[in-house]
Amino acid sequence: MASLGFPVITLGVIALLSWLIVRTGARALALSGLDRDVAMFQATSAFFGVGFTTAEAELVVQHPARRRIVMHLVVVGNIGIAGSFATLTSAMMHANADENWLGTLIEFAALAILVLVISKLKILNSAIDWLIGRSLESAGVVRPLDYETVLGLRDGYEVAEVDIDERCPVVGQTLGETRAGSRGMLVLSVTRRGGAFVGAPGPEVRLELGDHLVVYGHGETVRAILNEAG
């Protein structure tokens, strides 16, 4: 009977390589300007084919470079998962009852630690980022930036989505009348109840009941101005 150690180690290698591929795909999506957490979620969803439908998915499908990244993740993911199941099935069918499980576990753990250490190497990550950056440039993405980096989302600053309801003190006022800008809140966009979109709204834009706002500012400031609406 064939030894179980080699198939198990092979399965472990496939799993660890899958993890590295997802991480690389997430880094590529992040370098295209996508938020890091969103990039990891979308890369994981694409690789494992779970098919989550989220608002962030539109940020991927509407961007040519991101579509290409996700397409590769989907293809590689399906091949990898199929290979994993095939390896596991083969291992179970040809397992040797006398297999040294402790030795196999030690080998797998050593391999996992080795891959983890290698994946943390700065020189490797820098090389990966350089290659991804060149690939994105060839796809027309000249200066991909994460909006968290651009806006400086730290120390309590955030990008928030708020719905204007009857409790909101600024309903019926123009942005100029709310003095939102001078008080530390920037309104990035307004989506009307009927679907009309106003990007980078000026001070003359009036806030109406049912408006959906995307705003930037310190969390406490945003809540103070909008009275925690939405």
Side-chain angles (χ1 to χ4, degrees):
M1 298 290 286
S3 171
L4 183 59
F6 180 74
V8 170
I9 293 297
T10 303
L11 181 62
V13 171
I14 294 174
L16 293 171
L17 287 177
S18 298
W19 175 69
L20 286 175
I21 291 171
V22 169
R23 277 197 58 191
T24 302
R27 293 174 75 89
L29 289 174
L31 285 172
S32 74
L34 206 60
D35 174 69
R36 286 186 292 273
D37 291 337
V38 174
M40 178 57 75
F41 182 82
Q42 294 299 328
T44 304
S45 299
F47 184 81
F48 291 102
V50 292
F52 280 111
T53 301
T54 63
E56 290 87 355
E58 295 184 7
L59 299 176
V60 173
V61 299
Q62 294 176 359
H63 193 290
R66 295 171 188 166
R67 284 202 304 268
R68 186 182 304 175
I69 295 167
V70 168
M71 180 184 68
H72 292 325
L73 286 171
V74 170
V75 173
V76 175
N78 278 277
I79 295 175
I81 292 173
S84 299
F85 277 112
T87 301
L88 181 60
T89 301
S90 174
M92 294 177 66
M93 291 179 62
H94 300 89
N96 184 350
D98 297 329
E99 173 65 24
N100 183 358
W101 283 95
L102 180 59
T104 299
L105 182 61
I106 293 175
E107 291 176 357
F108 179 72
L111 179 63
I113 293 173
L114 177 62
V115 173
L116 182 61
V117 170
I118 292 176
S119 69
K120 295 291 185 179
L121 294 177
K122 289 185 178 180
I123 186 172
L124 176 62
N125 289 326
S126 297
I128 292 174
D129 287 348
W130 182 82
L131 289 173
I132 293 173
R134 291 297 299 272
S135 177
L136 291 173
E137 288 179 7
S138 66
V141 182
V142 180
R143 291 191 63 190
L145 293 173
D146 189 334
Y147 76 84
E148 288 191 1
T149 302
V150 175
L151 296 176
L153 296 186
R154 61 182 183 181
D155 299 329
Y157 282 85
E158 60 187 37
V159 173
E161 297 183 64
V162 183
D163 293 322
I164 301 299
D165 61 20
E166 62 278 358
R167 299 171 300 166
C168 185
V170 299
V171 64
Q173 298 182 13
T174 65
L175 289 178
E177 292 171 341
T178 66
R179 298 184 296 108
S182 62
R183 296 168 64 186
M185 185 185 80
L186 177 64
V187 179
L188 302 177
S189 68
V190 177
T191 303
R192 302 295 188 188
R193 179 180 293 178
F197 178 79
V198 183
E204 75 285 352
V205 174
R206 189 172 301 277
L207 299 178
E208 302 174 358
L209 189 65
D211 283 350
H212 181 78
L213 275 57
V214 177
V215 302
Y216 168 66
H218 194 281
E220 294 182 359
T221 301
V222 172
R223 286 187 287 272
I225 295 175
L226 300 176
N227 195 27
E228 299 188 0

